[in-house]
Amino acid sequence: MIQAFGLTSNPRKDLPPAVDDVSFEAHAGRVTTLLGAAGAGKSTVLRLMLELEQGRGITHFRGRPLHRIAHPSREVGVVLGDVPGHPARTVRGHLRMLCAAAGVPARRADEVLEAVGLVSLREERLGTLSRGMDRRLGLACALLADPHTLVLDDPTDGLSARESRWLHGMLRAHTAQGGTVLLTTTDPKEAARTADRVVTLEEGKVVADQEAADFSRTRLRPRVAVRSPHAPRLAALLAKEARTARRSVEVVPEAGNRLSVYGSTCAEVGEIAYRYGILVHQLADEVGDMGAGAAAELRGEAANGADLGELERAYGSEGDGDRDALPAAEGEAPGGNGDGPVIGPQATHEAIDVSPAAVASNDGATGLPAAAEEPPHAEEEPDADGGRGSGDRGGQDVSAVRAPLPPLPPPISVRPAPSPLRPLRYEVRRATGISTGFVTCAAVLIVSALTAVVLARIGHTPQHRLLAAWPRELPWPPAALGAGLLGALAFGDEFRHPALAADRGTVPRRLGLLTAKLLVSAATALMLAFLSVGCDAEALYLFYGRELTEVPGDWLVMSASWAGLVVGCAWAGVLAAGVFRSTTAGLAAVVAVPVAVVPLVHQAVAGASVREAAGLSARMREVLLLQWPFGGERYLLAAVRLIAQPVGGALMLSLTALLCAYVLTNLRSRVR
């Protein structure tokens, strides 16, 4: 179950908090709905519950806060808005990637696709999906790790009636297996029809927490909306007629000369207005939530002495002046909500009818708002809401009781022990799931080969720079820039297209994910470095023969230097994109190393106050005292010389600074 205690958002400037002291419970095996108009604070409540927004209060999921759960995606499945993911990724590839992140077998992707009916669209791109298919994919992402709790923010927004019924049927099937479902909606009729418990929010506060049957009886009621310049007089006349006919009628005065009449019809109100010559500007049947605002306004009117008894006394010429039969404005009908005066001595439940037949008859009248319209053929087609009908839910379709629940994906058993290969599998599937990396590598190889040919044509370029296609005018060769771009994309796409939002809604700053990205980017950079040198040598051989393709004598040291340069650029892109949350910032950091950092390091090394490292080789042998096997000290000295160079030193300095910044950012997010 879900237990929310005192959720309060941080206020902005002089504005009140969007959510103020919201507390409620959502029990297992039931659908709980947060109901409220746009701006009531429903989405903010969910973000506070999921720890995606700073504020006060705490939420327990089966007795534990979310930050105390080792794998949140296995406890809570989240659908907030559209499916976050790269638009060029396929549906099946996106789910397989999230399977690796959640630690579930890859075959789980096919199981949830079968359950949500997306098998035929498994090779479609995310950017081409319709609204309904996108919602199905979002539910599939939430069900991947077989969570106990589902949290959905307005899941039926923009869906057709058929898609909405299917979605609520899936949620009902989840609760039938003992799960918990919490969702938000702005439609009170949908909440009454599909939920077990309705929590009504208004202006960031809980104004009602009711069972669905009580909500339908007390807040979702058919009414007649009347607008007239003589609204007080018409209200008094309606009171007299209700008393004479001994009928239960409730009249609620509202702002703008408007009346809401409960327990009557348009025909009856219109006849009374015509009989007494009262001008009417609006007369329409409505079905909707009366809301706490109307109740507060009515209580304010009563406090000011403007009750219907005074209205009838003011217009006593049309009535008989008998005040004894008219109850006080503060009276309540049995089963009413106390939001307005009840007119008539015997108020019964007959005035509160929200059965499908009554709703259909009311919807047929003119003037009904579009938000209150039922989907077409709602009575002929059973709602797939898990079989809760009018017999136990106060006015719902009985045919839904016999509707079979849609199949859910089979339960899975996930090993609780973390695996070091999980983030590595995720990163490999992320990098290979779209064509961006392959296109970037192909473009780098082509540019590198063309640059080598042009440099050979111009002349005056050393052999090692010719094979690397590195002109003196460029800060980095094409291969290093390409490796830096691929590294920046590794983390930049996580923030631009947050695929890991199925886990917590944000990119988790775990060192395991960083290690996986560094390993994959290093392997990609080494492959790119090897292929670029091969392509450059092949292009030089085709254009100029063997003369320009000779291997240098110190090829081993140069190869190590070349590999270190390309891998360092890739790592700089990864770390900078992870710190600054942008691909552009990651690539800018790669370019800034030779442009800004190298001159500073070169100036520091060449300064008069810096001593030269003469005799470094002999002193290292004295310190180590031992000879490395197979001449290993030569490779160590080569690495030291590489780092001692201005470019190598600047790159190592930049990587160290970026790594420290990433770790500090990770620690700060954990403290929060």
Side-chain angles (χ1 to χ4, degrees):
M1 63 179 298
I2 303 176
Q3 296 172 306
F5 306 100
L7 298 179
T8 304
S9 61
N10 292 336
R12 297 182 179 180
K13 298 182 180 179
D14 297 333
L15 299 176
V19 173
D20 187 9
D21 195 21
V22 172
S23 301
F24 63 92
E25 292 184 355
H27 294 272
R30 311 191 74 192
V31 176
T32 304
T33 298
L34 294 179
L35 173 66
K42 305 182 299 298
S43 300
T44 305
V45 169
L46 297 188
R47 295 184 64 84
L48 288 171
M49 292 173 55
L50 299 173
E51 300 178 2
L52 303 179
E53 186 171 325
Q54 296 185 11
R56 299 189 300 275
I58 192 171
T59 302
H60 286 169
F61 296 89
R62 289 201 290 181
R64 294 180 297 170
L66 199 61
H67 62 271
R68 295 295 184 184
I69 301 175
H71 302 287
S73 61
R74 301 179 189 171
E75 177 65 32
V76 184
V78 181
V79 179
L80 301 177
D82 298 335
V83 175
H86 200 288
R89 202 178 303 277
T90 63
V91 171
R92 187 170 182 266
H94 182 77
L95 290 176
R96 285 173 59 87
M97 181 183 67
L98 294 181
C99 284
V104 299
R107 66 177 182 275
R108 180 67 174 176
D110 297 322
E111 294 175 356
V112 295
L113 285 176
E114 178 97 19
V116 301
L118 290 179
V119 176
S120 60
L121 300 179
R122 59 180 178 270
E123 299 302 327
E124 292 291 327
R125 308 290 178 180
L126 298 186
T128 63
L129 296 180
S130 64
R131 181 72 171 178
M133 298 302 103
D134 185 86
R135 289 294 183 177
R136 288 181 181 239
L137 179 58
L139 186 59
C141 295
L143 292 173
L144 269 180
D146 195 16
H148 176 270
T149 303
L150 292 179
V151 177
L152 307 95
D153 187 13
D154 205 358
T156 59
D157 181 30
L159 297 186
S160 63
R162 184 181 299 275
E163 289 287 346
S164 298
R165 288 194 295 271
W166 174 87
L167 179 61
H168 286 298
M170 290 291 293
L171 300 181
R172 185 59 64 188
H174 184 77
T175 59
Q177 296 183 359
T180 305
V181 173
L182 175 65
L183 57 92
T184 66
T185 184
T186 58
D187 186 3
K189 295 176 65 178
E190 178 184 356
R193 186 170 56 248
T194 60
D196 296 302
R197 191 167 189 86
V198 181
V199 180
T200 306
L201 298 178
E202 184 173 308
E203 297 181 355
K205 297 182 179 180
V206 177
V207 297
D209 189 350
Q210 305 167 290
E211 293 292 326
D214 296 334
F215 171 80
S216 300
R217 187 179 67 250
T218 61
R219 301 185 68 85
L220 187 67
R221 308 167 62 186
R223 63 181 178 234
V224 179
V226 185
R227 193 180 300 275
S228 172
H230 308 289
R233 182 171 173 234
L234 180 58
L237 293 173
L238 293 174
K240 185 194 72 170
E241 296 291 337
R243 183 184 63 250
T244 302
R246 301 185 63 83
R247 295 177 56 250
S248 175
V249 177
E250 182 181 358
V251 181
V252 180
E254 297 181 2
N257 292 328
R258 188 177 186 272
L259 299 175
S260 292
V261 183
Y262 297 87
S264 186
T265 63
C266 281
E268 294 174 353
V269 176
E271 289 177 359
I272 295 174
Y274 176 77
R275 189 186 310 147
Y276 293 97
I278 297 179
L279 179 64
V280 174
H281 291 164
Q282 180 189 9
L283 186 64
D285 284 324
E286 292 182 355
V287 177
D289 187 12
M290 183 176 175
E297 181 181 351
L298 179 61
R299 287 190 293 269
E301 294 276 352
N304 294 330
D307 59 13
L308 292 183
E310 295 178 354
L311 295 177
E312 187 171 12
R313 286 195 296 270
Y315 295 94
S317 57
E318 284 84 7
D320 54 8
D322 187 3
R323 185 70 180 89
D324 298 333
L326 183 64
E330 292 81 3
E332 278 190 34
N337 60 353
D339 287 344
V342 179
I343 311 234
Q346 295 179 352
T348 63
H349 292 292
E350 298 174 359
I352 308 171
D353 184 10
V354 290
S355 63
V359 172
S361 64
N362 290 330
D363 290 348
T366 58
L368 179 66
E373 292 182 359
E374 283 278 32
H377 308 295
E379 297 181 14
E380 291 79 10
E381 297 181 20
D383 288 334
D385 60 358
R388 282 164 172 75
S390 59
D392 57 346
R393 289 283 305 282
Q396 298 183 26
D397 196 352
V398 185
S399 61
V401 178
R402 296 185 295 270
L405 294 175
L408 283 178
I412 57 175
S413 58
V414 183
R415 291 177 297 177
S419 170
L421 297 180
R422 184 183 307 152
L424 190 60
R425 291 195 192 100
Y426 164 81
E427 181 60 22
V428 170
R429 292 174 183 174
R430 185 208 63 80
T432 58
I434 56 177
S435 60
T436 303
F438 301 102
V439 173
T440 301
C441 291
V444 167
L445 295 179
I446 294 175
V447 172
S448 181
L450 293 178
T451 303
V453 172
V454 173
L455 290 178
R457 177 73 175 176
I458 297 175
H460 308 292
T461 302
Q463 180 69 15
H464 62 280
R465 278 186 170 266
L466 196 61
L467 290 176
W470 191 357
R472 299 182 183 275
E473 295 77 15
L474 292 180
W476 291 127
L481 287 175
L485 176 60
L486 292 176
L489 287 172
F491 244 133
D493 280 350
E494 298 287 6
F495 296 99
R496 187 180 179 186
H497 309 289
L500 291 180
D503 186 71
R504 288 286 297 276
T506 56
V507 179
R509 290 182 170 276
R510 298 192 181 97
L511 293 180
L513 181 64
L514 174 64
T515 304
K517 290 185 178 296
L518 292 178
L519 289 177
V520 173
S521 62
T524 306
L526 289 176
M527 180 187 66
L528 187 60
F530 176 78
L531 291 178
S532 62
V533 172
C535 291
D536 295 345
E538 188 67 22
L540 292 174
Y541 174 76
L542 291 177
F543 280 89
Y544 305 107
R546 294 183 178 274
E547 181 180 357
L548 298 180
T549 58
E550 296 180 356
V551 179
D554 53 347
W555 64 272
L556 185 59
V557 176
M558 288 189 175
S559 298
S561 176
W562 173 244
L565 175 66
V566 178
V567 172
C569 289
W571 285 358
V574 171
L575 292 172
V579 171
F580 300 107
R581 300 171 176 261
S582 172
T583 301
T584 305
L587 186 59
V590 174
V591 177
V593 172
V595 173
V597 183
V598 169
L600 294 177
V601 174
H602 182 72
Q603 184 178 2
V605 172
S609 61
V610 179
R611 295 183 178 180
E612 294 184 359
L616 177 63
S617 176
R619 286 194 297 272
M620 288 193 64
R621 290 192 180 93
E622 294 177 1
V623 172
L624 296 176
L625 297 178
L626 295 175
Q627 295 292 329
W628 288 55
F630 306 105
E633 69 275 4
R634 292 181 301 171
Y635 302 103
L636 179 62
L637 291 175
V640 172
R641 291 194 191 99
L642 179 62
I643 297 176
Q645 294 177 1
V647 175
L651 192 57
M652 290 296 299
L653 181 63
S654 301
L655 289 175
T656 304
L658 290 173
L659 182 59
C660 292
Y662 186 90
V663 173
L664 290 177
T665 308
N666 183 27
L667 293 177
R668 185 180 64 177
S669 63
R670 289 191 177 185
V671 169
R672 286 181 178 178

